[in-house]
Protein backbone atom coordinates (compact mmCIF):
# COMPACT_ATOMS: atom_id res chain seq x y z
CA UNK A 1 0.00 0.00 0.00
CA UNK A 2 1.06 3.53 -0.65
CA UNK A 3 1.58 4.45 3.02
CA UNK A 4 5.05 6.04 2.79
CA UNK A 5 6.45 8.96 0.79
CA UNK A 6 9.72 7.11 0.25
CA UNK A 7 13.10 8.36 -0.89
CA UNK A 8 14.18 6.34 -3.94
CA UNK A 9 17.49 5.16 -2.46
CA UNK A 10 17.83 1.57 -1.14
CA UNK A 11 20.47 0.46 1.33
CA UNK A 12 21.99 -2.99 1.13
CA UNK A 13 24.61 -3.02 3.88
CA UNK A 14 25.66 -1.16 7.02
CA UNK A 15 28.71 -0.83 9.20
CA UNK A 16 28.77 1.17 12.44
CA UNK A 17 27.40 4.66 11.76
CA UNK A 18 27.32 4.17 7.98
CA UNK A 19 25.08 2.48 5.41
CA UNK A 20 25.80 1.69 1.74
CA UNK A 21 23.37 1.88 -1.18
CA UNK A 22 23.02 -0.45 -4.19
CA UNK A 23 25.70 1.48 -6.07
CA UNK A 24 28.15 1.17 -3.16
CA UNK A 25 27.83 4.81 -2.09
CA UNK A 26 28.39 5.43 1.62
CA UNK A 27 26.05 7.51 3.82
CA UNK A 28 26.46 8.75 7.39
CA UNK A 29 23.43 7.59 9.36
CA UNK A 30 22.26 10.33 11.75
CA UNK A 31 18.76 8.85 12.01
CA UNK A 32 19.35 5.20 12.99
CA UNK A 33 16.07 4.03 11.48
CA UNK A 34 14.28 6.62 13.68
CA UNK A 35 16.07 5.88 16.96
CA UNK A 36 16.04 2.12 16.36
CA UNK A 37 19.61 1.08 15.52
CA UNK A 38 21.03 1.81 18.98
CA UNK A 39 24.24 -0.13 18.27
CA UNK A 40 24.52 1.11 14.69
CA UNK A 41 24.79 -1.40 11.84
CA UNK A 42 26.44 -4.81 11.86
CA UNK A 43 27.59 -4.58 15.48
CA UNK A 44 29.78 -7.67 16.06
CA UNK A 45 28.41 -8.45 19.56
CA UNK A 46 24.79 -8.23 18.36
CA UNK A 47 25.46 -10.14 15.14
CA UNK A 48 27.10 -12.98 17.09
CA UNK A 49 24.41 -13.18 19.78
CA UNK A 50 21.61 -13.14 17.19
CA UNK A 51 23.26 -15.74 14.93
CA UNK A 52 23.66 -18.09 17.89
CA UNK A 53 20.05 -17.54 19.00
CA UNK A 54 18.65 -18.02 15.48
CA UNK A 55 20.40 -21.40 15.38
CA UNK A 56 19.26 -22.32 18.92
CA UNK A 57 15.60 -21.18 19.16
CA UNK A 58 13.64 -18.24 17.73
CA UNK A 59 10.06 -18.64 18.84
CA UNK A 60 8.02 -20.89 21.09
CA UNK A 61 4.83 -19.01 22.21
CA UNK A 62 3.90 -17.37 25.48
CA UNK A 63 2.01 -20.56 26.34
CA UNK A 64 5.38 -21.63 27.80
CA UNK A 65 8.00 -20.07 30.05
CA UNK A 66 10.59 -18.14 28.05
CA UNK A 67 13.88 -17.88 30.00
CA UNK A 68 15.30 -15.13 27.74
CA UNK A 69 12.14 -13.09 28.45
CA UNK A 70 12.56 -13.66 32.19
CA UNK A 71 16.18 -12.49 32.02
CA UNK A 72 15.21 -9.39 30.02
CA UNK A 73 12.38 -8.58 32.46
CA UNK A 74 14.79 -8.79 35.38
CA UNK A 75 17.29 -6.57 33.58
CA UNK A 76 14.71 -3.92 32.65
CA UNK A 77 13.28 -4.01 36.17
CA UNK A 78 16.75 -3.50 37.64
CA UNK A 79 17.50 -0.56 35.32
CA UNK A 80 14.12 1.15 35.80
CA UNK A 81 12.95 0.16 39.29
CA UNK A 82 9.72 -1.15 37.72
CA UNK A 83 8.05 -4.38 38.93
CA UNK A 84 6.46 -6.04 35.89
CA UNK A 85 6.93 -6.21 32.12
CA UNK A 86 4.65 -7.14 29.21
CA UNK A 87 6.42 -7.73 25.89
CA UNK A 88 5.09 -6.87 22.44
CA UNK A 89 6.63 -5.93 19.10
CA UNK A 90 6.31 -2.18 18.61
CA UNK A 91 5.74 1.19 20.21
CA UNK A 92 2.05 1.43 19.43
CA UNK A 93 1.46 -2.00 20.93
CA UNK A 94 3.34 -1.00 24.08
CA UNK A 95 1.10 2.07 24.35
CA UNK A 96 -2.03 0.00 23.64
CA UNK A 97 -1.04 -2.14 26.62
CA UNK A 98 -0.57 0.99 28.75
CA UNK A 99 -3.96 2.40 27.70
CA UNK A 100 -5.74 -0.90 28.38
CA UNK A 101 -3.97 -1.16 31.73
CA UNK A 102 -5.04 2.38 32.69
CA UNK A 103 -8.66 1.63 31.76
CA UNK A 104 -8.69 -1.61 33.72
CA UNK A 105 -7.07 0.17 36.66
CA UNK A 106 -9.84 2.79 36.44
CA UNK A 107 -12.57 0.17 36.45
CA UNK A 108 -10.96 -1.49 39.46
CA UNK A 109 -11.16 1.93 41.18
CA UNK A 110 -14.88 2.15 40.36
CA UNK A 111 -14.54 4.64 37.47
CA UNK A 112 -16.91 3.45 34.72
CA UNK A 113 -15.71 5.81 31.96
CA UNK A 114 -12.00 6.24 32.72
CA UNK A 115 -10.10 9.02 30.95
CA UNK A 116 -6.39 9.50 30.26
CA UNK A 117 -4.72 12.91 30.04
CA UNK A 118 -2.57 13.23 26.88
CA UNK A 119 -0.57 16.11 25.42
CA UNK A 120 -0.68 18.43 22.42
CA UNK A 121 1.93 17.41 19.81
CA UNK A 122 2.19 13.95 21.37
CA UNK A 123 2.87 10.89 19.23
CA UNK A 124 1.91 7.46 20.54
CA UNK A 125 1.42 5.39 17.39
CA UNK A 126 -1.03 4.61 14.60
CA UNK A 127 -3.43 2.00 15.94
CA UNK A 128 -6.90 3.38 16.65
CA UNK A 129 -6.34 3.94 20.36
CA UNK A 130 -2.81 5.31 19.99
CA UNK A 131 -3.67 7.66 17.11
CA UNK A 132 -6.54 8.91 19.24
CA UNK A 133 -4.01 9.61 22.02
CA UNK A 134 -1.69 11.31 19.50
CA UNK A 135 -1.87 15.12 19.40
CA UNK A 136 -1.60 15.58 15.64
CA UNK A 137 -4.70 16.02 13.46
CA UNK A 138 -2.84 14.74 10.38
CA UNK A 139 -2.43 11.35 12.06
CA UNK A 140 -6.12 11.22 13.01
CA UNK A 141 -7.85 12.73 9.96
CA UNK A 142 -10.08 10.26 8.13
CA UNK A 143 -10.09 7.69 10.91
CA UNK A 144 -12.96 9.08 12.97
CA UNK A 145 -14.71 8.07 15.13
CA UNK A 146 -11.67 8.25 17.36
CA UNK A 147 -11.34 6.18 20.52
CA UNK A 148 -12.85 8.22 23.36
CA UNK A 149 -11.49 8.67 26.86
CA UNK A 150 -8.60 11.05 26.20
CA UNK A 151 -8.35 14.57 27.62
CA UNK A 152 -5.81 16.76 25.85
CA UNK A 153 -3.70 19.46 27.50
CA UNK A 154 -0.72 21.60 26.40
CA UNK A 155 2.67 19.90 26.91
CA UNK A 156 4.84 20.88 29.88
CA UNK A 157 2.07 23.07 31.34
CA UNK A 158 1.29 22.27 34.97
CA UNK A 159 -1.64 24.66 35.35
CA UNK A 160 -3.48 22.79 32.56
CA UNK A 161 -3.06 19.55 34.53
CA UNK A 162 -4.25 21.23 37.73
CA UNK A 163 -7.33 22.51 35.91
CA UNK A 164 -8.24 18.97 34.76
CA UNK A 165 -7.49 17.60 38.24
CA UNK A 166 -10.00 20.04 39.73
CA UNK A 167 -12.71 19.41 37.13
CA UNK A 168 -12.60 15.87 35.74
CA UNK A 169 -13.30 13.03 38.18
CA UNK A 170 -12.98 10.40 35.42
CA UNK A 171 -9.23 10.86 34.93
CA UNK A 172 -7.24 7.80 35.98
CA UNK A 173 -3.88 8.35 34.27
CA UNK A 174 -1.55 10.74 32.44
CA UNK A 175 0.40 9.57 29.37
CA UNK A 176 3.24 11.70 27.98
CA UNK A 177 6.70 11.63 26.37
CA UNK A 178 9.48 13.06 28.60
CA UNK A 179 10.91 14.32 25.30
CA UNK A 180 8.48 14.57 22.41
CA UNK A 181 10.09 13.13 19.30
CA UNK A 182 7.64 13.42 16.39
CA UNK A 183 6.32 16.65 17.96
CA UNK A 184 9.66 18.39 17.28
CA UNK A 185 12.06 17.46 20.15
CA UNK A 186 10.19 19.20 22.98
CA UNK A 187 11.67 18.56 26.41
CA UNK A 188 9.52 18.35 29.55
CA UNK A 189 11.07 20.28 32.43
CA UNK A 190 12.27 18.26 35.43
CA UNK A 191 10.09 20.41 37.72
CA UNK A 192 7.06 19.67 35.56
CA UNK A 193 7.64 15.92 35.77
CA UNK A 194 8.15 16.08 39.55
CA UNK A 195 4.99 18.15 40.06
CA UNK A 196 3.02 15.86 37.76
CA UNK A 197 4.26 12.88 39.76
CA UNK A 198 3.02 14.54 42.96
CA UNK A 199 -0.42 15.29 41.46
CA UNK A 200 -0.70 11.68 40.25
CA UNK A 201 0.01 10.47 43.78
CA UNK A 202 -2.53 12.87 45.31
CA UNK A 203 -5.24 11.91 42.81
CA UNK A 204 -4.42 8.20 42.54
CA UNK A 205 -3.69 8.59 38.80
CA UNK A 206 -1.18 6.45 36.94
CA UNK A 207 1.90 8.37 35.81
CA UNK A 208 2.64 6.81 32.40
CA UNK A 209 5.69 7.73 30.32
CA UNK A 210 6.10 6.88 26.64
CA UNK A 211 9.85 6.34 26.30
CA UNK A 212 9.55 4.58 22.95
CA UNK A 213 11.84 7.15 21.31
CA UNK A 214 13.72 8.85 24.17
CA UNK A 215 14.52 5.71 26.22
CA UNK A 216 17.34 3.14 26.07
CA UNK A 217 20.32 5.34 26.88
CA UNK A 218 19.79 7.93 24.15
CA UNK A 219 19.71 10.91 26.53
CA UNK A 220 22.51 9.72 28.78
CA UNK A 221 20.20 7.98 31.26
CA UNK A 222 18.67 4.57 30.66
CA UNK A 223 15.29 6.32 30.55
CA UNK A 224 14.76 10.04 29.98
CA UNK A 225 12.43 10.56 32.97
CA UNK A 226 15.20 9.42 35.32
CA UNK A 227 16.91 12.82 35.10
CA UNK A 228 13.99 14.23 37.14
CA UNK A 229 14.61 11.65 39.88
CA UNK A 230 11.10 10.21 39.64
CA UNK A 231 9.68 6.76 38.97
CA UNK A 232 6.63 6.23 36.75
CA UNK A 233 3.79 3.78 37.34
CA UNK A 234 3.85 2.70 33.68
CA UNK A 235 6.60 3.05 31.07
CA UNK A 236 6.53 2.00 27.41
CA UNK A 237 9.58 1.10 25.32
CA UNK A 238 10.26 -0.09 21.76
CA UNK A 239 12.36 1.52 18.99
CA UNK A 240 15.95 1.31 20.35
CA UNK A 241 15.35 -1.65 22.65
CA UNK A 242 16.27 -4.34 20.11
CA UNK A 243 18.74 -2.37 17.95
CA UNK A 244 16.70 -3.30 14.87
CA UNK A 245 14.93 -6.49 15.94
CA UNK A 246 11.29 -5.55 16.63
CA UNK A 247 10.45 -5.58 20.33
CA UNK A 248 8.27 -3.41 22.56
CA UNK A 249 7.62 -3.44 26.28
CA UNK A 250 5.11 -2.04 28.75
CA UNK A 251 6.43 -1.89 32.32
CA UNK A 252 4.37 -1.37 35.45
CA UNK A 253 5.14 -0.57 39.07
CA UNK A 254 3.34 0.25 42.31
CA UNK A 255 -0.39 0.86 41.82
CA UNK A 256 -0.14 -0.27 38.19
CA UNK A 257 1.42 -3.64 39.03
CA UNK A 258 -0.89 -6.63 39.24
CA UNK A 259 -3.70 -4.97 37.25
CA UNK A 260 -3.56 -7.47 34.36
CA UNK A 261 -4.43 -11.09 35.08
CA UNK A 262 -4.07 -14.09 32.72
CA UNK A 263 -6.41 -13.54 29.77
CA UNK A 264 -6.51 -9.72 29.97
CA UNK A 265 -3.81 -9.10 27.38
CA UNK A 266 -1.44 -10.99 25.13
CA UNK A 267 0.73 -11.19 22.03
CA UNK A 268 1.73 -14.07 19.77
CA UNK A 269 5.21 -12.84 18.90
CA UNK A 270 5.82 -10.61 21.93
CA UNK A 271 9.00 -11.35 23.84
CA UNK A 272 10.15 -14.31 21.79
CA UNK A 273 13.67 -15.63 22.44
CA UNK A 274 15.22 -13.91 19.40
CA UNK A 275 13.82 -10.45 20.22
CA UNK A 276 14.75 -10.80 23.89
CA UNK A 277 18.34 -11.74 23.07
CA UNK A 278 18.54 -8.69 20.79
CA UNK A 279 17.38 -6.49 23.69
CA UNK A 280 19.58 -8.18 26.30
CA UNK A 281 22.61 -7.72 24.05
CA UNK A 282 21.71 -4.10 23.31
CA UNK A 283 21.51 -3.29 27.04
CA UNK A 284 24.72 -5.22 27.74
CA UNK A 285 26.73 -3.41 25.05
CA UNK A 286 25.39 0.03 26.09
CA UNK A 287 26.72 -0.65 29.59
CA UNK A 288 29.95 -2.43 28.60
CA UNK A 289 31.01 0.24 26.09
CA UNK A 290 29.86 3.28 28.09
CA UNK A 291 27.47 4.34 25.34
CA UNK A 292 25.30 6.53 27.59
CA UNK A 293 28.27 8.76 28.46
CA UNK A 294 29.12 8.73 24.74
CA UNK A 295 25.57 9.85 23.88
CA UNK A 296 25.91 12.85 26.21
CA UNK A 297 29.39 13.77 24.96
CA UNK A 298 28.65 13.38 21.23
CA UNK A 299 25.25 15.07 21.58
CA UNK A 300 26.87 18.09 23.25
CA UNK A 301 29.53 18.15 20.54
CA UNK A 302 26.95 18.07 17.72
CA UNK A 303 24.90 20.89 19.28
CA UNK A 304 28.00 23.00 19.92
CA UNK A 305 29.44 22.54 16.42
CA UNK A 306 26.06 23.05 14.73
CA UNK A 307 25.64 26.21 16.80
CA UNK A 308 29.01 27.47 15.56
CA UNK A 309 28.33 26.49 11.94
CA UNK A 310 24.92 28.20 11.95
CA UNK A 311 25.82 31.18 14.15
CA UNK A 312 24.09 34.35 12.99
CA UNK A 313 22.11 32.55 10.26
CA UNK A 314 18.65 34.14 10.11
CA UNK A 315 15.94 31.47 10.13
CA UNK A 316 17.55 29.16 12.69
CA UNK A 317 15.13 29.38 15.62
CA UNK A 318 16.69 26.91 18.06
CA UNK A 319 19.16 24.06 18.38
CA UNK A 320 18.03 21.85 21.24
CA UNK A 321 17.98 18.33 22.57
CA UNK A 322 19.32 15.96 25.15
CA UNK A 323 22.13 13.53 24.34
CA UNK A 324 21.58 12.04 20.91
CA UNK A 325 18.03 13.32 20.50
CA UNK A 326 18.54 16.62 18.71
CA UNK A 327 16.27 19.13 16.97
CA UNK A 328 17.27 22.09 14.82
CA UNK A 329 14.18 24.27 14.51
CA UNK A 330 13.94 26.54 11.47
CA UNK A 331 11.47 29.36 10.92
CA UNK A 332 9.81 27.63 7.95
CA UNK A 333 8.82 24.15 6.71
CA UNK A 334 12.02 22.40 5.62
CA UNK A 335 11.08 18.88 4.46
CA UNK A 336 13.17 19.27 1.32
CA UNK A 337 16.34 19.22 3.48
CA UNK A 338 15.94 15.45 3.83
CA UNK A 339 16.58 14.93 0.10
CA UNK A 340 19.35 17.52 0.04
CA UNK A 341 21.15 15.85 2.95
CA UNK A 342 20.75 12.48 1.22
CA UNK A 343 22.40 13.94 -1.87
CA UNK A 344 25.26 15.00 0.39
CA UNK A 345 25.53 11.47 1.83
CA UNK A 346 23.70 12.00 5.11
CA UNK A 347 20.56 10.45 6.62
CA UNK A 348 18.42 12.85 8.65
CA UNK A 349 14.73 13.51 9.12
CA UNK A 350 12.41 16.51 9.44
CA UNK A 351 9.53 16.42 11.90
CA UNK A 352 6.72 18.78 12.89
CA UNK A 353 7.30 20.44 9.45
CA UNK A 354 10.17 22.70 10.51
CA UNK A 355 12.46 20.72 12.85
CA UNK A 356 15.51 18.89 11.50
CA UNK A 357 15.72 15.80 13.69
CA UNK A 358 18.93 13.93 14.47
CA UNK A 359 18.79 10.53 16.21
CA UNK A 360 22.22 8.99 15.56
CA UNK A 361 23.15 5.51 16.77
CA UNK A 362 24.78 5.50 20.22
CA UNK A 363 28.05 4.29 18.64
CA UNK A 364 28.46 7.67 16.88
CA UNK A 365 32.09 8.83 17.21
CA UNK A 366 33.47 12.35 17.56
CA UNK A 367 34.65 12.08 13.95
CA UNK A 368 31.11 11.09 12.88
CA UNK A 369 29.80 14.18 14.72
CA UNK A 370 32.27 16.47 12.93
CA UNK A 371 31.37 14.88 9.58
CA UNK A 372 27.66 15.30 10.34
CA UNK A 373 28.08 19.03 10.90
CA UNK A 374 30.24 19.39 7.79
CA UNK A 375 27.55 17.65 5.71
CA UNK A 376 24.48 19.25 7.27
CA UNK A 377 25.36 22.91 7.90
CA UNK A 378 25.91 23.84 4.21
CA UNK A 379 22.49 22.62 2.95
CA UNK A 380 20.76 24.33 5.90
CA UNK A 381 22.62 27.58 5.15
CA UNK A 382 21.75 27.32 1.45
CA UNK A 383 18.12 26.53 2.25
CA UNK A 384 17.87 29.63 4.43
CA UNK A 385 19.65 31.74 1.81
CA UNK A 386 22.57 32.49 4.15
C1 LIG B 1 7.60 5.75 17.18
C2 LIG B 1 6.84 6.05 18.40
C3 LIG B 1 5.71 5.29 18.75
C4 LIG B 1 5.14 4.22 17.84
O1 LIG B 1 6.03 3.17 17.66
P1 LIG B 1 5.76 2.08 16.50
O2 LIG B 1 6.80 1.04 16.78
O3 LIG B 1 5.95 2.78 15.20
O4 LIG B 1 4.38 1.59 16.68
C5 LIG B 1 5.08 5.56 19.94
N1 LIG B 1 5.53 6.53 20.75
C6 LIG B 1 6.61 7.27 20.46
C7 LIG B 1 7.08 8.31 21.42
C8 LIG B 1 7.29 7.07 19.27
O5 LIG B 1 8.34 7.84 18.96
Amino acid sequence: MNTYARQSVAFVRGEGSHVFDEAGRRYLDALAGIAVNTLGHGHPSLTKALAEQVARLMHVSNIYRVPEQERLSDRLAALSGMDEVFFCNSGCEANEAAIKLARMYGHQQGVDTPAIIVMEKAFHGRTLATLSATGNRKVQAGFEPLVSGFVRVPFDDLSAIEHVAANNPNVVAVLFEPIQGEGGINIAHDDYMRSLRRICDEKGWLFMVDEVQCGIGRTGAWFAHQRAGIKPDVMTLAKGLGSGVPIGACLAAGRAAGVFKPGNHGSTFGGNPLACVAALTTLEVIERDGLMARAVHVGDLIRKRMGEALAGVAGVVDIRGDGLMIGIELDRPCGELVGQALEAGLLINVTNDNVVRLLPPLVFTDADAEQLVALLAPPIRDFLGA
Side-chain angles (χ1 to χ4, degrees):
M1 292 190 190
N2 189 23
T3 53
Y4 305 101
R6 298 180 194 270
Q7 300 287 331
S8 59
V9 68
F11 304 110
V12 294
R13 188 170 71 81
E15 199 181 309
S17 303
H18 292 86
V19 290
F20 299 81
D21 71 11
E22 293 161 306
R25 183 168 180 217
R26 191 172 90 134
Y27 300 77
L28 179 65
D29 185 1
L31 186 59
I34 316 186
V36 167
N37 302 99
T38 306
L39 304 183
H41 303 277
H43 193 287
S45 303
L46 183 61
T47 307
K48 182 167 179 288
L50 289 179
E52 286 171 8
Q53 192 60 42
V54 165
R56 190 181 306 127
L57 187 68
M58 282 199 277
H59 179 84
V60 285
S61 165
N62 285 308
I63 289 172
Y64 311 102
R65 276 187 50 224
V66 182
E68 295 83 359
Q69 198 181 110
E70 292 170 4
R71 276 196 287 140
L72 180 57
S73 309
D74 289 347
R75 191 77 188 107
L76 287 171
L79 299 178
S80 64
M82 306 297 281
D83 302 328
E84 296 183 334
V85 192
F86 172 81
F87 288 105
C88 50
N89 316 283
S90 64
C92 61
E93 283 174 84
N95 288 326
E96 282 278 344
I99 292 163
K100 282 181 67 176
L101 191 152
R103 283 190 170 193
M104 184 153 276
Y105 168 79
H107 285 286
Q108 290 171 2
Q109 306 289 305
V111 180
D112 293 334
T113 52
I116 301 170
I117 297 179
V118 290
M119 307 286 159
E120 289 173 6
K121 290 194 179 180
F123 184 81
H124 298 298
R126 290 175 178 277
T127 61
L128 275 174
T130 58
L131 75 81
S132 302
T134 289
N136 180 346
R137 274 303 299 160
K138 278 193 212 162
V139 172
Q140 300 172 336
F143 299 112
E144 299 81 2
L146 300 181
V147 172
S148 61
F150 296 106
V151 178
R152 196 166 307 283
V153 298
F155 181 69
D156 204 27
D157 178 345
L158 198 65
S159 63
I161 299 275
E162 284 165 343
H163 182 78
V164 177
N167 293 288
N168 192 331
N170 289 326
V171 171
V172 297
V174 182
L175 172 64
F176 75 104
E177 300 150 87
I179 304 178
Q180 292 185 327
E182 305 304 303
I185 314 294
N186 308 313
I187 305 175
H189 284 88
D190 291 359
D191 282 350
Y192 172 78
M193 288 198 274
R194 284 193 282 265
S195 301
L196 189 52
R197 174 72 271 186
R198 179 180 46 74
I199 293 172
C200 286
D201 287 335
E202 286 165 11
K203 304 292 290 185
W205 297 348
L206 301 183
F207 182 102
M208 311 203 295
V209 286
D210 178 346
E211 295 242 7
V212 167
Q213 189 163 151
C214 59
I216 319 294
R218 179 158 291 280
T219 66
W222 283 108
F223 310 107
H225 69 267
Q226 289 175 326
R227 84 181 124 78
I230 43 141
K231 196 174 100 177
D233 300 306
V234 174
M235 172 169 70
T236 57
L237 302 172
K239 291 201 165 92
L241 179 56
S243 281
V245 177
I247 179 166
C250 177
L251 293 82
R255 285 195 297 280
V259 169
F260 281 153
K261 301 284 187 299
N264 288 144
H265 200 47
S267 166
T268 298
F269 291 120
N272 78 18
L274 181 67
C276 289
V277 164
L280 280 162
T281 309
T282 299
L283 300 174
E284 197 179 299
V285 174
I286 289 174
E287 187 158 60
R288 184 194 74 194
D289 293 354
L291 296 185
M292 289 191 284
R294 167 135 295 276
V296 172
H297 166 77
V298 179
D300 287 347
L301 182 62
I302 292 170
R303 279 190 294 279
K304 179 161 171 276
R305 289 279 187 273
M306 279 310 300
E308 289 162 4
L310 297 175
V313 175
V316 177
V317 175
D318 193 19
I319 300 175
R320 59 176 174 265
D322 195 2
L324 287 176
M325 197 166 176
I326 299 170
I328 303 165
E329 182 178 343
L330 307 186
D331 68 353
R332 66 202 80 167
C334 58
E336 62 203 75
L337 278 171
V338 172
Q340 289 166 10
L342 192 67
E343 284 291 305
L346 174 67
L347 309 191
I348 59 157
N349 167 253
V350 167
T351 191
N352 199 42
D353 293 336
N354 64 336
V355 180
V356 176
R357 179 170 50 162
L358 307 174
L359 298 163
L362 271 52
V363 295
F364 229 57
T365 64
D366 290 23
D368 292 333
E370 302 285 358
Q371 197 199 355
L372 162 63
V373 176
L375 292 173
L376 183 57
I380 292 181
R381 296 181 71 102
D382 286 352
F383 175 75
L384 294 171

